[in-house]
Each structure stands twice: as C-alpha cells, then as structure tokens.
Amino acid sequence: MNKCEFSIQRFGLLLKTELRRNQKGILIFIGMILALYAISPLGNCLFSTGSFMPYIGTIAFTLPFVFYKNLFNSLRGVTLGMLPASQSEKFLVMFVLCTLVVPLGMLVFAWIVSLIGVGLTGSVDMMFDFLGQFKSTMHLGFFDSTFWSIIAIQSISIWGVCFFKSKKAGKTLLSIIGFMVFISIVGSLYGISHVRFGRFPLYMEDYNINRIAYITDVLLSVVLPVALWVWGFFKIRRQQY
C-alpha cells in the first residue's frame, strides 16, 4: 500500500481498531487517575482542578510509550504493521488517539468526578474547570493553556515512539536531557557574551530580555511541538517494520 495514501474510511476503521486494542490500557489510566486523585495530597479539597492536572499530564506523556512500545518491532509489532492502512493513516490515528481522544477523555472524566464532589459536599469550589484548561491570560492564548502544554510535552514522546525502534522511553528521556543541557549551555554563553561586552544599553536591557523570553516561549511552546509531530510523521512514513 502507498505509504502516503489516505482514506477517511480506513482511518475511521483503524481508529476503532486501536481503541479496542488499547481499551485495557485506557481503563487502567482512568483507574489510575481516580485512585491517585483520591489519595492526592495536592490542594485543600478532594475534588479540584489542581489535583487532577499533574496526573493527566504525566499519563498523557506516558501513554504513547505504552500504546506503541512495539511499533516497528519485527516480532511484537507485526500485528500493527500488517494492518491494511498506510503509514500516514497509522501516524494520524496515533496522533488523534494520544493527543486528542485520551487527553480529552481524561479531562471529561475529571469533570464528571468533580460533579460528584460538588454533589457530595455542595461546594461549587470543587468544580473542575474544564473550559479553563483551554484558555490562558498569557500572551500566547491557547498556546499557553494547560491542555496545549500537555499535548506539547507529549509531542516529545510521540516523536520518540516514531524515531526509535527499541528502548523508546529510555532513549527519549536521554534525548530530553541532552536537549536541556544544550539549551542551558547556549543560554549561558549568550548571557555571558552580552554581559561581558555590554552589547545592550541599560535602557534596552528589559526590552531585549522580554523579547528574547517571548521568542524562546514561542519556539519551545509552539514551534518545537509542531516540528516534532511533523518529524515523527515523516519518520514513520519512511520506517519499515
């Protein structure tokens, strides 16, 4: 089958297949949210937005490694590899399942649990702020929202699943550490060079610092996640099982 071919019908069928294949993992993740949340020391009340989000973010980052740990494995990944769908369709199903279906499902589940909390206590303060996860008062709007932060961070694990053939989680974590060290070194050298040579007049220091912070925020929060998704897309199209 042509790796670039796309059919909305096959896409729908493959998405249903992946939901059935991973339904046990999805139920386990939901159970983990409820169990961890019930014993959470975070927040002053049992049902709160703040108590849910660390768990949802952690699970969202982890789930590509759980659902697709055998991707491209010549033995364990043969079932997925033999499915009658193009590589493009398989990536898009992975993207929709991991980035939209499961994270949104967990947010809806958190909202439902919060409704139970409101019903039991009568306190509206315990209501999970569902719509608030898609809003932000920062300068990047939706791209500063909690939901975008979750899927942006998850783009790293999706890239790792597509890029590495084995030991995906470990190699992805090492890549993250290497990237963070690289950014730290570049940032330190940049700051040292400008302080040493006095390149910024005093009245321009705050302006330049704010401009650099804004550019860095856009690159890391928007450009990098999109680039990792695109990179993963082209990587999976060329990859053989």
Side-chain angles (χ1 to χ4, degrees):
M1 180 175 292
N2 190 332
K3 293 183 179 181
C4 303
E5 187 178 347
F6 180 81
S7 167
I8 190 64
Q9 183 178 9
R10 279 200 309 270
F11 172 82
L13 291 173
L14 182 59
L15 181 58
K16 291 180 181 178
T17 300
E18 286 299 279
L19 284 171
R20 287 196 299 267
R21 185 174 72 88
N22 295 297
Q23 63 182 352
K24 182 179 179 180
I26 293 173
L27 291 175
I28 290 174
F29 283 139
I30 291 176
M32 287 173 59
I33 291 177
L34 186 58
L36 292 172
Y37 178 70
I39 61 174
S40 172
L42 300 176
N44 296 320
C45 57
L46 179 62
F47 298 93
S48 67
T49 298
S51 295
F52 265 119
M53 297 318 296
Y55 301 136
I56 292 178
T58 301
I59 291 172
F61 178 82
T62 305
L63 67 88
F65 297 118
V66 176
F67 289 174
Y68 295 97
K69 63 181 178 180
N70 295 321
L71 185 67
F72 305 132
N73 187 295
S74 58
L75 296 177
R76 297 177 181 177
V78 67
T79 302
L80 179 61
M82 295 300 291
L83 288 175
S86 67
Q87 298 290 69
S88 298
E89 290 162 349
K90 291 173 184 176
F91 176 83
L92 290 176
V93 166
M94 178 199 305
F95 179 84
V96 170
L97 180 63
C98 294
T99 303
L100 299 178
V101 174
V102 177
L104 285 174
M106 288 190 293
L107 291 179
V108 171
F109 179 73
W111 176 70
I112 292 173
V113 173
S114 75
L115 288 179
I116 297 174
V118 172
L120 292 175
T121 65
S123 174
V124 295
D125 293 334
M126 296 184 179
M127 177 67 70
F128 180 79
D129 186 12
F130 180 82
L131 294 179
Q133 308 312 305
F134 304 89
K135 300 176 182 178
S136 175
T137 58
M138 303 293 286
H139 51 271
L140 293 182
F142 170 72
F143 297 106
D144 276 322
S145 68
T146 302
F147 181 76
W148 177 263
S149 298
I150 288 174
I151 63 175
I153 293 174
Q154 189 200 63
S155 68
I156 301 172
S157 50
I158 290 180
W159 168 81
V161 163
C162 296
F163 190 81
F164 299 111
K165 296 191 68 173
S166 63
K167 300 179 180 179
K168 299 176 184 292
K171 292 178 180 178
T172 302
L173 290 175
L174 288 177
S175 299
I176 295 173
I177 294 172
F179 179 76
M180 293 176 64
V181 170
F182 172 76
I183 291 296
S184 299
I185 293 174
V186 171
S188 298
L189 293 176
Y190 181 83
I192 291 172
S193 66
H194 282 73
V195 169
R196 178 177 297 176
F197 297 105
R199 294 185 181 179
F200 292 156
L202 291 177
Y203 68 90
M204 292 184 64
E205 284 184 358
D206 290 340
Y207 169 78
N208 282 283
I209 290 174
N210 291 334
R211 183 177 64 176
I212 292 171
Y214 177 79
I215 293 174
T216 302
D217 194 18
V218 171
L219 289 176
L220 295 180
S221 300
V222 183
V223 176
L224 181 60
V226 173
L228 290 176
W229 286 324
V230 173
W231 192 350
F233 174 73
F234 284 104
K235 179 66 178 179
I236 199 174
R237 288 203 321 181
R238 295 193 300 268
Q239 188 67 60
Q240 298 292 333
Y241 283 83

